[in-house]
Amino acid sequence: MANGYDPAAFDIVREEYRERDDRRDPREDFDPRDIRDFLPERERDRPDPRDEPPSPTEQRQEEVVRAALEIITNDDSVMLDQELVGMINDPKVRMTRDGEMTRRTGRDVIRRSRQFSRGNLIPNFAVPRTKRKAKNTAYRRAYKKAFKAIKPSQMTKKGTWKKGGFKRAVQASHKAARKATKK
């Protein structure tokens, strides 16, 4: 026994833990999927969402993580101390392309959201959409022809409309167009 260390006492403690591991809880062996045997048929036939294959995005993430773990595990030159492990597991720490470790602040999150970017603050003065041109129907053609014929009789010598002349020209043109398209 050197400096208060008794190897025999250590073996006894280890045996106690081994016995405790042998007495496992039977509920650990239970798979929730086994409960399907007790469900009604319509629910038993329904596919389990856990059985579905991962989406392409999830597959890509798994591949990236697997590749990174492979590099860290297989490369003997990579040594991680507690500080690096803490930085890796901290969701607020990011590594720039330069290899510099930075901590994301609330301001960085807001900047990345582009919520207050110039494009979102200044209104977009895009060219407004032009209205679709109306279809030139038979009635429109008849109205146009009648209006051109009636217009000179409702104008003054100066080239302005007589009092109530525009209204009379429109009414007369509609009447003529209705007659022309009734045929």
Side-chain angles (χ1 to χ4, degrees):
M1 184 162 105
N3 296 334
Y5 174 72
D6 184 14
F10 180 72
D11 290 339
I12 293 170
V13 172
R14 197 168 62 200
E15 287 175 15
E16 288 176 13
Y17 283 112
R18 190 176 303 134
E19 288 174 12
R20 195 177 298 163
D21 288 343
D22 291 342
R23 297 182 307 239
R24 288 189 5 222
D25 189 4
R27 288 179 289 183
E28 291 177 6
D29 296 334
F30 176 73
D31 185 8
R33 296 176 197 171
D34 295 340
I35 202 166
R36 287 182 160 187
D37 299 336
F38 304 105
L39 294 173
E41 268 187 58
R42 67 174 188 272
E43 291 182 23
R44 193 179 315 153
D45 298 337
R46 198 178 303 159
D48 190 354
R50 292 174 289 192
D51 294 338
E52 294 177 12
S55 68
T57 306
E58 290 172 347
Q59 287 177 345
R60 175 73 180 132
Q61 287 175 344
E62 288 175 8
E63 290 172 8
V64 169
V65 169
R66 194 175 307 120
L69 285 173
E70 181 181 339
I71 291 169
I72 291 172
T73 307
N74 295 338
D75 191 356
D76 295 332
S77 65
V78 176
M79 300 298 285
L80 299 176
D81 59 351
Q82 281 302 101
E83 185 180 348
L84 284 175
V85 172
M87 291 172 88
I88 290 170
N89 293 332
D90 188 357
K92 292 184 178 179
V93 174
R94 295 284 183 242
M95 180 182 274
T96 62
R97 292 179 191 262
D98 308 352
E100 182 183 338
M101 302 297 272
T102 60
R103 183 169 291 281
R104 289 177 65 187
T105 62
R107 183 174 288 177
D108 292 334
V109 173
I110 289 172
R111 283 185 185 143
R112 281 194 184 87
S113 73
R114 300 193 42 81
Q115 178 180 358
F116 299 109
S117 66
R118 185 173 177 83
N120 290 334
L121 292 176
I122 297 173
N124 188 6
F125 293 114
V127 178
R129 286 185 175 177
T130 56
K131 285 189 177 180
R132 188 174 54 107
K133 192 174 178 183
K135 203 172 189 180
N136 199 6
T137 62
Y139 182 85
R140 283 179 183 269
R141 287 191 300 270
Y143 173 84
K144 194 176 186 181
K145 187 176 180 184
F147 189 82
K148 282 183 182 176
I150 296 168
K151 183 180 176 183
S153 66
Q154 300 299 325
M155 301 290 279
T156 63
K157 286 184 181 178
K158 281 193 338 187
T160 59
W161 289 100
K162 292 180 180 175
K163 187 168 182 176
F166 181 77
K167 183 178 178 182
R168 284 189 299 276
V170 168
Q171 288 173 344
S173 300
H174 277 299
K175 191 174 183 181
R178 276 195 301 272
K179 271 188 184 177
T181 53
K182 261 188 181 178
K183 294 181 190 178

